[in-house]
mmCIF file of all heavy atoms in Angstrom:
data_model
loop_
_atom_site.group_PDB
_atom_site.id
_atom_site.type_symbol
_atom_site.label_atom_id
_atom_site.label_comp_id
_atom_site.label_asym_id
_atom_site.label_seq_id
_atom_site.Cartn_x
_atom_site.Cartn_y
_atom_site.Cartn_z
ATOM 1 N N LEU A 14 39.505 -35.265 68.767
ATOM 2 C CA LEU A 14 39.827 -33.833 68.301
ATOM 3 C C LEU A 14 41.023 -33.774 67.423
ATOM 4 O O LEU A 14 40.990 -33.023 66.451
ATOM 5 C CB LEU A 14 40.041 -32.953 69.533
ATOM 6 C CG LEU A 14 38.829 -32.663 70.435
ATOM 7 C CD1 LEU A 14 39.194 -31.743 71.553
ATOM 8 C CD2 LEU A 14 37.771 -32.059 69.566
ATOM 9 N N MET A 30 40.816 -34.685 44.853
ATOM 10 C CA MET A 30 39.526 -34.527 45.442
ATOM 11 C C MET A 30 39.013 -35.662 46.283
ATOM 12 O O MET A 30 38.314 -35.442 47.304
ATOM 13 C CB MET A 30 38.532 -34.319 44.289
ATOM 14 C CG MET A 30 38.406 -32.822 43.908
ATOM 15 S SD MET A 30 37.121 -32.696 42.765
ATOM 16 C CE MET A 30 38.091 -32.267 41.269
ATOM 17 N N MET A 40 36.569 -35.710 59.612
ATOM 18 C CA MET A 40 35.892 -34.711 60.475
ATOM 19 C C MET A 40 34.477 -35.181 60.877
ATOM 20 O O MET A 40 34.165 -35.162 62.061
ATOM 21 C CB MET A 40 35.645 -33.408 59.673
ATOM 22 C CG MET A 40 36.997 -32.668 59.324
ATOM 23 S SD MET A 40 36.704 -31.364 58.202
ATOM 24 C CE MET A 40 35.895 -30.246 59.240
ATOM 25 N N ASN A 47 32.663 -37.988 69.274
ATOM 26 C CA ASN A 47 32.353 -37.121 70.268
ATOM 27 C C ASN A 47 30.994 -37.355 70.872
ATOM 28 O O ASN A 47 30.830 -37.424 72.087
ATOM 29 C CB ASN A 47 32.412 -35.690 69.792
ATOM 30 C CG ASN A 47 33.723 -35.007 69.982
ATOM 31 O OD1 ASN A 47 34.523 -35.599 70.540
ATOM 32 N ND2 ASN A 47 33.790 -33.720 69.711
ATOM 33 N N PHE A 48 29.968 -37.443 70.034
ATOM 34 C CA PHE A 48 28.579 -37.590 70.516
ATOM 35 C C PHE A 48 28.490 -38.862 71.378
ATOM 36 O O PHE A 48 27.922 -38.814 72.507
ATOM 37 C CB PHE A 48 27.632 -37.616 69.355
ATOM 38 C CG PHE A 48 27.040 -36.324 69.128
ATOM 39 C CD1 PHE A 48 27.445 -35.528 67.946
ATOM 40 C CD2 PHE A 48 26.063 -35.830 69.952
ATOM 41 C CE1 PHE A 48 26.945 -34.317 67.803
ATOM 42 C CE2 PHE A 48 25.478 -34.537 69.728
ATOM 43 C CZ PHE A 48 25.944 -33.799 68.568
ATOM 44 N N PHE A 51 30.397 -38.498 74.736
ATOM 45 C CA PHE A 51 29.745 -37.567 75.676
ATOM 46 C C PHE A 51 28.524 -38.234 76.209
ATOM 47 O O PHE A 51 28.204 -38.206 77.383
ATOM 48 C CB PHE A 51 29.370 -36.262 75.037
ATOM 49 C CG PHE A 51 30.569 -35.374 74.789
ATOM 50 C CD1 PHE A 51 30.656 -34.673 73.616
ATOM 51 C CD2 PHE A 51 31.526 -35.319 75.652
ATOM 52 C CE1 PHE A 51 31.671 -33.801 73.425
ATOM 53 C CE2 PHE A 51 32.626 -34.469 75.504
ATOM 54 C CZ PHE A 51 32.670 -33.732 74.313
ATOM 55 N N ASN A 52 27.785 -38.929 75.404
ATOM 56 C CA ASN A 52 26.558 -39.635 75.866
ATOM 57 C C ASN A 52 26.967 -40.660 76.907
ATOM 58 O O ASN A 52 26.335 -40.772 77.964
ATOM 59 C CB ASN A 52 25.910 -40.274 74.656
ATOM 60 C CG ASN A 52 24.470 -40.654 74.958
ATOM 61 O OD1 ASN A 52 24.136 -40.757 76.176
ATOM 62 N ND2 ASN A 52 23.710 -40.976 74.010
ATOM 63 N N TYR A 56 26.247 -38.543 80.220
ATOM 64 C CA TYR A 56 24.774 -38.697 80.381
ATOM 65 C C TYR A 56 24.392 -40.118 80.110
ATOM 66 O O TYR A 56 23.660 -40.422 79.133
ATOM 67 C CB TYR A 56 24.050 -37.770 79.424
ATOM 68 C CG TYR A 56 24.518 -36.335 79.588
ATOM 69 C CD1 TYR A 56 25.318 -35.761 78.666
ATOM 70 C CD2 TYR A 56 24.117 -35.531 80.606
ATOM 71 C CE1 TYR A 56 25.814 -34.429 78.781
ATOM 72 C CE2 TYR A 56 24.545 -34.217 80.747
ATOM 73 C CZ TYR A 56 25.473 -33.784 79.856
ATOM 74 O OH TYR A 56 25.874 -32.463 79.990
ATOM 75 N N GLN A 59 20.566 -41.700 79.100
ATOM 76 C CA GLN A 59 19.784 -41.399 77.891
ATOM 77 C C GLN A 59 20.455 -41.833 76.574
ATOM 78 O O GLN A 59 21.554 -42.289 76.637
ATOM 79 C CB GLN A 59 19.479 -39.820 77.832
ATOM 80 C CG GLN A 59 20.759 -39.050 78.092
ATOM 81 C CD GLN A 59 20.631 -37.635 77.701
ATOM 82 O OE1 GLN A 59 20.569 -37.366 76.515
ATOM 83 N NE2 GLN A 59 20.448 -36.685 78.664
ATOM 84 N N GLU A 61 20.167 -39.807 73.531
ATOM 85 C CA GLU A 61 19.980 -38.753 72.469
ATOM 86 C C GLU A 61 21.284 -38.741 71.618
ATOM 87 O O GLU A 61 21.241 -38.586 70.376
ATOM 88 C CB GLU A 61 19.797 -37.427 73.127
ATOM 89 C CG GLU A 61 18.664 -36.695 72.589
ATOM 90 C CD GLU A 61 18.349 -35.440 73.459
ATOM 91 O OE1 GLU A 61 18.793 -35.373 74.622
ATOM 92 O OE2 GLU A 61 17.632 -34.544 72.919
ATOM 93 N N GLY A 62 22.522 -38.779 72.280
ATOM 94 C CA GLY A 62 23.719 -38.726 71.482
ATOM 95 C C GLY A 62 23.872 -39.866 70.540
ATOM 96 O O GLY A 62 24.325 -39.733 69.395
ATOM 97 N N ILE A 72 23.594 -39.438 57.217
ATOM 98 C CA ILE A 72 23.821 -38.187 56.454
ATOM 99 C C ILE A 72 25.127 -38.086 55.799
ATOM 100 O O ILE A 72 25.275 -37.678 54.673
ATOM 101 C CB ILE A 72 23.584 -36.932 57.406
ATOM 102 C CG1 ILE A 72 22.083 -36.857 57.752
ATOM 103 C CG2 ILE A 72 24.002 -35.645 56.752
ATOM 104 C CD1 ILE A 72 21.812 -35.828 58.793
ATOM 105 N N GLU A 76 26.103 -37.606 51.914
ATOM 106 C CA GLU A 76 26.995 -36.549 51.392
ATOM 107 C C GLU A 76 28.117 -37.049 50.539
ATOM 108 O O GLU A 76 28.420 -36.617 49.436
ATOM 109 C CB GLU A 76 27.589 -35.794 52.586
ATOM 110 C CG GLU A 76 26.668 -34.790 53.162
ATOM 111 C CD GLU A 76 27.099 -34.179 54.477
ATOM 112 O OE1 GLU A 76 27.944 -34.800 55.148
ATOM 113 O OE2 GLU A 76 26.451 -33.210 54.936
ATOM 114 N N LEU A 79 26.965 -38.354 47.080
ATOM 115 C CA LEU A 79 26.668 -37.220 46.165
ATOM 116 C C LEU A 79 28.067 -36.554 45.720
ATOM 117 O O LEU A 79 28.250 -36.350 44.519
ATOM 118 C CB LEU A 79 25.870 -36.161 46.845
ATOM 119 C CG LEU A 79 25.312 -35.050 45.985
ATOM 120 C CD1 LEU A 79 24.504 -35.595 44.895
ATOM 121 C CD2 LEU A 79 24.431 -34.165 46.811
ATOM 122 N N VAL A 91 37.168 -33.387 32.656
ATOM 123 C CA VAL A 91 38.559 -32.892 32.421
ATOM 124 C C VAL A 91 39.536 -34.014 32.517
ATOM 125 O O VAL A 91 40.768 -33.744 32.489
ATOM 126 C CB VAL A 91 38.897 -31.788 33.508
ATOM 127 C CG1 VAL A 91 38.126 -30.494 33.244
ATOM 128 C CG2 VAL A 91 38.770 -32.190 34.915
ATOM 129 N N LEU A 99 40.612 -26.896 38.747
ATOM 130 C CA LEU A 99 39.280 -26.317 38.739
ATOM 131 C C LEU A 99 39.470 -24.861 38.947
ATOM 132 O O LEU A 99 39.036 -24.403 40.015
ATOM 133 C CB LEU A 99 38.445 -26.956 39.828
ATOM 134 C CG LEU A 99 38.269 -28.420 39.734
ATOM 135 C CD1 LEU A 99 37.352 -28.913 40.708
ATOM 136 C CD2 LEU A 99 37.661 -28.853 38.330
ATOM 137 N N LYS A 101 38.840 -22.258 36.701
ATOM 138 C CA LYS A 101 38.367 -21.478 35.479
ATOM 139 C C LYS A 101 37.592 -20.203 36.118
ATOM 140 O O LYS A 101 37.732 -19.078 35.557
ATOM 141 C CB LYS A 101 37.373 -22.259 34.670
ATOM 142 C CG LYS A 101 37.195 -21.579 33.283
ATOM 143 C CD LYS A 101 36.454 -22.451 32.308
ATOM 144 C CE LYS A 101 35.986 -21.628 31.127
ATOM 145 N NZ LYS A 101 34.945 -22.347 30.458
ATOM 146 N N MET A 102 36.898 -20.387 37.200
ATOM 147 C CA MET A 102 36.203 -19.251 37.784
ATOM 148 C C MET A 102 36.978 -18.780 39.068
ATOM 149 O O MET A 102 37.149 -19.644 39.946
ATOM 150 C CB MET A 102 34.789 -19.709 38.216
ATOM 151 C CG MET A 102 33.945 -20.119 37.093
ATOM 152 S SD MET A 102 32.341 -20.562 37.542
ATOM 153 C CE MET A 102 32.554 -22.051 38.481
ATOM 154 N N LYS A 103 37.417 -17.617 39.080
ATOM 155 C CA LYS A 103 37.936 -17.139 40.380
ATOM 156 C C LYS A 103 37.772 -15.594 40.463
ATOM 157 O O LYS A 103 37.629 -14.874 39.507
ATOM 158 C CB LYS A 103 39.373 -17.532 40.600
ATOM 159 C CG LYS A 103 40.319 -17.323 39.467
ATOM 160 C CD LYS A 103 41.685 -17.849 39.813
ATOM 161 C CE LYS A 103 42.601 -18.018 38.666
ATOM 162 N NZ LYS A 103 43.898 -18.640 38.920
ATOM 163 N N PHE A 104 37.783 -15.189 41.709
ATOM 164 C CA PHE A 104 37.550 -13.740 42.070
ATOM 165 C C PHE A 104 36.382 -13.125 41.374
ATOM 166 O O PHE A 104 36.468 -12.228 40.601
ATOM 167 C CB PHE A 104 38.876 -12.965 41.773
ATOM 168 C CG PHE A 104 40.028 -13.438 42.584
ATOM 169 C CD1 PHE A 104 41.115 -13.953 41.891
ATOM 170 C CD2 PHE A 104 39.938 -13.564 43.894
ATOM 171 C CE1 PHE A 104 42.207 -14.484 42.663
ATOM 172 C CE2 PHE A 104 40.996 -13.982 44.634
ATOM 173 C CZ PHE A 104 42.147 -14.495 44.027
ATOM 174 N N HIS B 128 14.644 -29.107 67.786
ATOM 175 C CA HIS B 128 15.584 -30.163 68.297
ATOM 176 C C HIS B 128 16.675 -30.284 67.267
ATOM 177 O O HIS B 128 16.312 -30.183 66.097
ATOM 178 C CB HIS B 128 14.775 -31.467 68.490
ATOM 179 C CG HIS B 128 15.591 -32.534 69.109
ATOM 180 N ND1 HIS B 128 16.445 -33.226 68.326
ATOM 181 C CD2 HIS B 128 15.656 -32.978 70.339
ATOM 182 C CE1 HIS B 128 17.063 -34.110 69.173
ATOM 183 N NE2 HIS B 128 16.648 -33.964 70.413
ATOM 184 N N GLU B 137 20.424 -30.715 55.938
ATOM 185 C CA GLU B 137 21.003 -31.552 54.893
ATOM 186 C C GLU B 137 20.069 -31.760 53.774
ATOM 187 O O GLU B 137 20.449 -31.853 52.617
ATOM 188 C CB GLU B 137 21.620 -32.859 55.432
ATOM 189 C CG GLU B 137 22.621 -32.717 56.573
ATOM 190 C CD GLU B 137 23.780 -31.899 56.039
ATOM 191 O OE1 GLU B 137 24.132 -31.980 54.808
ATOM 192 O OE2 GLU B 137 24.469 -31.287 56.817
ATOM 193 N N LEU B 141 21.948 -30.831 50.313
ATOM 194 C CA LEU B 141 22.380 -31.818 49.329
ATOM 195 C C LEU B 141 21.715 -31.904 48.031
ATOM 196 O O LEU B 141 22.454 -31.847 47.016
ATOM 197 C CB LEU B 141 22.277 -33.229 50.044
ATOM 198 C CG LEU B 141 23.250 -33.381 51.187
ATOM 199 C CD1 LEU B 141 23.214 -34.916 51.695
ATOM 200 C CD2 LEU B 141 24.654 -33.043 50.898
ATOM 201 N N TYR B 154 30.977 -27.053 31.524
ATOM 202 C CA TYR B 154 32.008 -27.400 32.497
ATOM 203 C C TYR B 154 31.837 -26.627 33.809
ATOM 204 O O TYR B 154 32.028 -27.107 34.892
ATOM 205 C CB TYR B 154 33.400 -27.125 31.851
ATOM 206 C CG TYR B 154 34.490 -26.995 32.821
ATOM 207 C CD1 TYR B 154 34.946 -28.127 33.448
ATOM 208 C CD2 TYR B 154 34.933 -25.761 33.296
ATOM 209 C CE1 TYR B 154 35.903 -28.045 34.429
ATOM 210 C CE2 TYR B 154 35.972 -25.663 34.202
ATOM 211 C CZ TYR B 154 36.441 -26.846 34.780
ATOM 212 O OH TYR B 154 37.437 -26.784 35.786
ATOM 213 N N GLU B 155 31.444 -25.269 33.686
ATOM 214 C CA GLU B 155 31.333 -24.481 34.906
ATOM 215 C C GLU B 155 30.375 -25.050 35.940
ATOM 216 O O GLU B 155 30.599 -24.933 37.127
ATOM 217 C CB GLU B 155 30.872 -22.989 34.546
ATOM 218 C CG GLU B 155 31.873 -22.155 33.832
ATOM 219 C CD GLU B 155 31.888 -22.313 32.420
ATOM 220 O OE1 GLU B 155 31.271 -23.281 31.926
ATOM 221 O OE2 GLU B 155 32.489 -21.474 31.740
ATOM 222 N N GLU B 158 32.269 -27.526 38.005
ATOM 223 C CA GLU B 158 33.196 -26.904 38.970
ATOM 224 C C GLU B 158 32.479 -26.250 40.061
ATOM 225 O O GLU B 158 32.863 -26.394 41.224
ATOM 226 C CB GLU B 158 33.990 -25.810 38.095
ATOM 227 C CG GLU B 158 35.077 -25.238 39.006
ATOM 228 C CD GLU B 158 35.909 -24.204 38.174
ATOM 229 O OE1 GLU B 158 36.163 -24.431 37.038
ATOM 230 O OE2 GLU B 158 36.436 -23.219 38.915
ATOM 231 N N VAL B 161 31.257 -28.971 42.595
ATOM 232 C CA VAL B 161 32.219 -29.572 43.371
ATOM 233 C C VAL B 161 32.609 -28.583 44.556
ATOM 234 O O VAL B 161 32.806 -28.939 45.711
ATOM 235 C CB VAL B 161 33.464 -30.180 42.636
ATOM 236 C CG1 VAL B 161 34.491 -29.113 42.365
ATOM 237 C CG2 VAL B 161 34.132 -31.289 43.382
ATOM 238 N N LYS B 162 32.721 -27.329 44.181
ATOM 239 C CA LYS B 162 32.985 -26.318 45.142
ATOM 240 C C LYS B 162 31.903 -26.250 46.215
ATOM 241 O O LYS B 162 32.085 -26.117 47.395
ATOM 242 C CB LYS B 162 33.255 -24.916 44.515
ATOM 243 C CG LYS B 162 34.583 -24.827 43.911
ATOM 244 C CD LYS B 162 34.731 -23.578 43.116
ATOM 245 C CE LYS B 162 36.159 -23.516 42.567
ATOM 246 N NZ LYS B 162 36.360 -22.473 41.548
ATOM 247 N N SER B 171 28.975 -28.373 57.386
ATOM 248 C CA SER B 171 28.132 -29.093 58.290
ATOM 249 C C SER B 171 28.950 -29.981 59.312
ATOM 250 O O SER B 171 28.449 -30.201 60.433
ATOM 251 C CB SER B 171 27.034 -29.963 57.509
ATOM 252 O OG SER B 171 27.736 -30.868 56.728
ATOM 253 N N MET B 176 30.194 -30.442 64.962
ATOM 254 C CA MET B 176 31.279 -30.421 66.035
ATOM 255 C C MET B 176 30.805 -29.463 67.149
ATOM 256 O O MET B 176 30.834 -29.813 68.295
ATOM 257 C CB MET B 176 32.546 -29.983 65.456
ATOM 258 C CG MET B 176 33.782 -30.260 66.289
ATOM 259 S SD MET B 176 33.968 -32.093 66.389
ATOM 260 C CE MET B 176 35.223 -32.215 67.625
ATOM 261 N N SER B 179 28.151 -31.064 69.127
ATOM 262 C CA SER B 179 28.623 -32.040 70.133
ATOM 263 C C SER B 179 29.129 -31.379 71.381
ATOM 264 O O SER B 179 28.893 -31.900 72.489
ATOM 265 C CB SER B 179 29.694 -33.023 69.485
ATOM 266 O OG SER B 179 30.902 -32.369 69.536
ATOM 267 N N TYR B 182 26.027 -30.443 73.326
ATOM 268 C CA TYR B 182 25.447 -31.604 73.885
ATOM 269 C C TYR B 182 26.192 -31.975 75.162
ATOM 270 O O TYR B 182 25.620 -32.344 76.191
ATOM 271 C CB TYR B 182 25.459 -32.739 72.971
ATOM 272 C CG TYR B 182 24.919 -34.071 73.551
ATOM 273 C CD1 TYR B 182 23.549 -34.090 73.843
ATOM 274 C CD2 TYR B 182 25.717 -35.178 73.748
ATOM 275 C CE1 TYR B 182 23.017 -35.211 74.422
ATOM 276 C CE2 TYR B 182 25.210 -36.304 74.356
ATOM 277 C CZ TYR B 182 23.865 -36.384 74.653
ATOM 278 O OH TYR B 182 23.296 -37.470 75.233
ATOM 279 N N ALA B 183 27.551 -31.880 75.146
ATOM 280 C CA ALA B 183 28.391 -32.163 76.321
ATOM 281 C C ALA B 183 28.097 -31.271 77.428
ATOM 282 O O ALA B 183 27.984 -31.697 78.614
ATOM 283 C CB ALA B 183 29.867 -32.127 75.921
ATOM 284 N N LEU B 184 27.707 -29.996 77.125
ATOM 285 C CA LEU B 184 27.467 -29.040 78.203
ATOM 286 C C LEU B 184 26.006 -29.181 78.732
ATOM 287 O O LEU B 184 25.855 -29.070 79.975
ATOM 288 C CB LEU B 184 27.676 -27.601 77.726
ATOM 289 C CG LEU B 184 29.064 -27.137 77.475
ATOM 290 C CD1 LEU B 184 29.139 -25.917 76.644
ATOM 291 C CD2 LEU B 184 29.731 -26.931 78.757
ATOM 292 N N GLY B 186 23.541 -31.766 77.820
ATOM 293 C CA GLY B 186 23.019 -33.066 77.978
ATOM 294 C C GLY B 186 21.672 -33.223 77.203
ATOM 295 O O GLY B 186 20.945 -34.181 77.437
ATOM 296 N N THR B 187 21.339 -32.348 76.303
ATOM 297 C CA THR B 187 20.114 -32.384 75.603
ATOM 298 C C THR B 187 20.296 -31.669 74.307
ATOM 299 O O THR B 187 21.164 -30.862 74.144
ATOM 300 C CB THR B 187 18.901 -31.818 76.423
ATOM 301 O OG1 THR B 187 17.819 -31.854 75.550
ATOM 302 C CG2 THR B 187 19.207 -30.428 76.815
ATOM 303 N N LEU B 188 19.460 -31.912 73.329
ATOM 304 C CA LEU B 188 19.436 -31.228 72.033
ATOM 305 C C LEU B 188 18.338 -30.396 71.781
ATOM 306 O O LEU B 188 18.117 -29.875 70.694
ATOM 307 C CB LEU B 188 19.818 -32.245 70.969
ATOM 308 C CG LEU B 188 21.162 -32.849 70.884
ATOM 309 C CD1 LEU B 188 21.286 -33.933 69.989
ATOM 310 C CD2 LEU B 188 22.211 -31.712 70.546
ATOM 311 N N ASP B 230 31.585 -18.341 42.844
ATOM 312 C CA ASP B 230 31.860 -19.363 41.881
ATOM 313 C C ASP B 230 30.618 -20.192 41.671
ATOM 314 O O ASP B 230 30.226 -20.562 40.538
ATOM 315 C CB ASP B 230 33.017 -20.243 42.375
ATOM 316 C CG ASP B 230 34.310 -19.531 42.383
ATOM 317 O OD1 ASP B 230 34.320 -18.359 41.872
ATOM 318 O OD2 ASP B 230 35.242 -20.054 42.867
ATOM 319 N N ARG B 298 28.016 -13.172 38.985
ATOM 320 C CA ARG B 298 28.994 -12.880 40.010
ATOM 321 C C ARG B 298 28.685 -11.551 40.835
ATOM 322 O O ARG B 298 28.775 -11.506 41.974
ATOM 323 C CB ARG B 298 30.410 -12.852 39.505
ATOM 324 C CG ARG B 298 30.963 -14.122 39.106
ATOM 325 C CD ARG B 298 32.360 -13.977 38.652
ATOM 326 N NE ARG B 298 33.264 -14.058 39.820
ATOM 327 C CZ ARG B 298 33.805 -15.114 40.350
ATOM 328 N NH1 ARG B 298 33.360 -16.297 39.908
ATOM 329 N NH2 ARG B 298 34.602 -15.147 41.392
#
Side-chain angles (χ1 to χ4, degrees):
Chain A
L14 290 181
M30 271 184 252
M40 292 169 69
N47 261 6
F48 263 103
F51 286 142
N52 193 347
Y56 309 101
Q59 45 164 287
E61 229 171 343
I72 288 170
E76 278 165 348
L79 189 55
V91 292
L99 302 182
K101 199 172 165 196
M102 298 184 287
K103 48 185 168 185
F104 301 118
Chain B
H128 184 279
E137 298 301 333
L141 290 188
Y154 163 76
E155 285 90 347
E158 187 178 325
V161 86
K162 283 172 176 167
S171 59
M176 197 67 186
S179 80
Y182 179 67
L184 287 166
T187 175
L188 289 169
D230 292 353
R298 285 184 86 81

